[in-house]
Amino acid sequence: MPKTTSKSAAKTKPAAAPAVSAASDKAAPTPGRQQPDAINQDTINAAVWNACDTFRGTVDPSIYKDFVLTMLFVKYISDVWQDHYDQYKKEHGDHPELIKELLKNERFILPPKANFYALHEARHQPGNGERIDKALHAIEENNPTKLRDVFQGISFNDNKLGDEAQKNDILRHLLEDFAKPELNLRPSRVGTLDIIGNAYEYLIKNFASTSGKKAGEFYTPPEVSQLMAQLVDPQEGDQICDPTCGSASLLMKCGQLIRRRSGSKNYALFGQEAIGSTWALAKMNMFLHGEDNHKIEWGDTLRNPKLLDDKGHLRQFDVVVANPPFSLEKWGHDAAENDKYKRFQRGLPPRTKGDYGFILHMIETMAPGSGRMAVVVPHGVLFRGAAEGKIRKQLIDENLLDIVIGLPEKLFYGTGIPAAILVFRKKKKDDKVLFIDASRDYLDGKNQNLLRQQDLDKIMAACAKRKSIDKYAYLATPAEIAENDYNLNIPRYVDTFEEEEEIDLMTVRAEREKLKAELAVLEKQMAGYLKALGYE
C-alpha cells in the first residue's frame, strides 16, 4: 500500500533485471549493429506509432492498442534488463552467479524466456501468440507486488487476430517492428524514464483519437489533466486519488506537478478502474513512468469501492480528481439505496444518470481539512432539477462548491459536447462560488479542439484573483445562487453578450451614393471600350 513518506516514495532504483542466463545474454542485440546515437521524443514516438501498421486494416484500434502497448512494455523492460546485465558484467567480469545476485536489487525480475529477444529469436516458429502469453504470465508471477494480474485480460493468442497462420504472421511482424534500431530503449541510450513514459502516453493519446466513443473510457486530454492538476494544487506528502482513473494520465499529471515544483516523489497515487484492460494500461503506465508508490485497484467504484482504510471505511485523500463517464445509465442505483458507506445521504441520484453518484463518492473521500477535488461533468449536472437539484442545493449550502468552469466543445475524445469542471473544497476561503466561462478560448481543430497554454493561464489567473471579470468570470454569493434556484448554468452568472455596434444610416447612405456614382463612371468607360471594339 502506498505511503507518503520520503523514504518509500522518493527513491527509485535503477530499472529491473531478472536472473539472467546465457540465453538472455545471447539474445541481446547483435554486437556491432549500428545503434542510432541521436535520440529525441519524436523519433521514439514515430517508431512506436509505425509499429501499429502491422494491425491496421486487419484489427480495430480499440483491440490492437492493448497488443502494441503491452509489447512496448515488454520491449522496454527487456532493454533495461539487458542494459543493466551488460553493465554488471563490465564492472564485475563474467561471473553469472554474482551478476544474478546483483540483479535481485532491480525494480523487477525478468525470466529469461520472457525476454523480448527470446521471443524475437523464435518469431519464425509456430505459436507466437502462446509464447508471448506465457512470457507475460511469467513476468506477472515473478513480480507479484507490482504486476500481479496486469496481463490477465490481454491474450496475444486471441482469435481476434485471425486463424493460426495469420495470427502467427501478424505477431512476427510486430516483434520485428519492435526489434528495429529506433526502438532500442536501453537506458544508456534513451536516458530517463520520461522518454518511455511519454511514448506510452503518446500512443494512448493517438489510440484515443481513433477510438470514437470508447476513447473517453481510458484517456483525458493532457491539457485538461494539466488544468485539473493545477486547480487542486497537489503538494509534497499528499495522497492523491482518481476513482475512475482510466489509463492514469490524470493521476500522473498531479504527481508530475509535485516533482516539477519540488523535485520530490514524496506523494502517493491511488486509483480504481472498472474496465480490466484499461486497469492494465494504468498499471503499465505507472511502471513506465517510474511511479512505484501507487495503488491501482480493479473494480466498479460505485458498486464496489476498493480503496478502503484498515477499518473497512472509505479511504480519504488530500486530492481527488476524476473524469467519470458522462451520465452513466446503469451506475448501480438499486444498490445505492442501501449504500453501507453512506455516500448518498445528501440524496439519491437519478436511476439513469450516474453523474452525482461519482460526485458524491468523491466528496466522501476528501480528507476533512486538506481535501479538495476537481471533476469533469456534462453541463446537465449544473441545472437539472428533481433529485439532482436537491443534491446540488445541499452541496452549496454546505459551502463545498468552490469553482465552476465552462470548457469549450469538442475537447474530449468520443463526445463533442462541452463539459465543465467543478472544484470542491472541504475548507474554503469564503462562502462564494466563482463561475468562469472559458468556452470561447481554444485552438480550433478539425476533429478535436485544444486548450492552449494561454487559455490555461487565463483560467488559473481568474481563479487566483477570485473576483468578477467582465464577460469572463463572476463571483456569486450564496444569496444570488439561491435566487437562481441553485441553478449553476454559467450564463446566469457570466454575461458574455456583446452589443452590436450601432449603424449610422446616413453614413451608409452617403457611401452607397458614392459607390453608385463610381459605378456609373465605370459603366460609361466600359461602353466606350465595347464601341471601339465594334460591339455596339
Side-chain angles (χ1 to χ4, degrees), residues 55 59 61-74 128-140 147-161 167 171 174 200 204 207 247 275-285 288 298:
F55 296 99
V59 184
S62 64
I63 295 171
Y64 74 66
K65 78 174 182 2
D66 294 336
F67 299 125
V68 173
L69 290 166
T70 301
M71 189 56 68
L72 174 61
F73 181 85
V74 173
N128 277 326
E130 186 178 356
R131 267 192 303 278
I132 296 172
D133 283 355
K134 285 180 177 178
L136 297 179
H137 295 150
I139 292 170
E140 285 182 347
L147 298 173
R148 184 190 300 277
D149 297 333
V150 166
F151 305 114
Q152 68 173 342
I154 300 168
S155 174
F156 283 74
N157 207 26
D158 198 305
N159 57 15
K160 291 174 183 176
L161 297 179
K167 177 170 55 183
L171 294 177
L174 183 65
Y200 196 82
I204 294 175
F207 286 132
S247 58
I275 301 170
S277 59
T278 305
W279 170 82
L281 293 186
K283 292 287 288 184
M284 287 188 278
N285 206 3
L288 291 175
W298 179 5

Side-chain angles (χ1 to χ4, degrees), residues 203-386:
L203 275 179
I204 294 175
K205 181 178 180 180
N206 276 275
F207 286 132
S209 68
T210 59
S211 294
K213 289 186 177 181
K214 290 186 177 181
E217 295 175 352
F218 61 86
Y219 195 63
T220 301
E223 298 77 21
V224 177
S225 294
Q226 180 184 336
L227 173 61
M228 294 175 74
Q230 289 179 272
L231 288 166
V232 293
D233 193 25
Q235 302 292 318
E236 277 190 76
D238 275 352
Q239 297 199 349
I240 304 163
C241 177
D242 182 344
T244 61
C245 69
S247 58
S249 58
L250 176 51
L251 266 180
M252 287 190 296
K253 273 287 189 292
C254 292
Q256 289 164 7
L257 185 56
I258 296 173
R259 294 204 309 275
R260 190 164 64 246
R261 288 171 171 173
S262 66
S264 170
K265 291 188 75 174
N266 179 19
Y267 57 85
L269 303 178
F270 297 78
Q272 185 165 340
E273 170 55 39
I275 301 170
S277 59
T278 305
W279 170 82
L281 293 186
K283 292 287 288 184
M284 287 188 278
N285 206 3
M286 287 281 186
F287 191 95
L288 291 175
H289 280 86
E291 294 285 10
D292 288 341
N293 197 31
H294 72 264
K295 183 177 184 180
I296 308 293
E297 296 285 2
W298 179 5
D300 186 317
T301 286
L302 295 185
R303 291 182 174 88
N304 184 23
K306 291 190 173 182
L307 295 171
L308 308 174
D309 62 22
D310 53 8
K311 295 181 179 178
H313 302 144
L314 290 175
R315 187 163 187 154
Q316 295 186 318
F317 305 95
D318 305 291
V319 169
V320 188
V321 288
N323 176 16
F326 286 180
S327 300
L328 189 65
E329 288 188 18
K330 298 177 181 179
W331 62 272
H333 179 274
D334 293 340
E337 292 186 86
N338 299 303
D339 181 55
K340 68 178 182 179
Y341 303 104
K342 304 189 185 308
R343 290 172 291 177
F344 310 111
Q345 53 192 325
R346 295 177 177 86
L348 192 62
R351 182 175 296 276
T352 58
K353 288 185 174 62
D355 301 303
Y356 273 100
F358 291 106
I359 292 172
L360 292 174
H361 170 86
M362 294 171 72
I363 292 287
E364 289 302 315
T365 61
M366 281 198 295
S370 59
R372 62 265 192 211
M373 67 175 257
V375 58
V376 181
V377 297
H379 274 265
V381 165
L382 305 179
F383 55 78
R384 291 191 298 245

Side-chain angles (χ1 to χ4, degrees), residues 48-108:
V48 295
W49 187 240
N50 287 340
C52 300
D53 288 342
T54 293
F55 296 99
R56 292 190 179 108
T58 306
V59 184
D60 188 82
S62 64
I63 295 171
Y64 74 66
K65 78 174 182 2
D66 294 336
F67 299 125
V68 173
L69 290 166
T70 301
M71 189 56 68
L72 174 61
F73 181 85
V74 173
K75 180 60 162 61
Y76 171 68
I77 64 173
S78 298
D79 282 347
V80 169
W81 189 263
Q82 196 62 53
D83 211 32
H84 290 194
Y85 176 82
D86 290 347
Q87 184 62 33
Y88 289 140
K89 188 174 179 180
K90 182 179 178 180
E91 293 173 356
H92 302 283
D94 191 6
H95 300 290
E97 291 305 316
L98 173 60
I99 294 175
K100 185 183 291 188
E101 285 302 312
L102 291 169
L103 289 170
K104 289 180 180 178
N105 295 319
E106 298 291 339
R107 275 180 75 212
F108 59 89

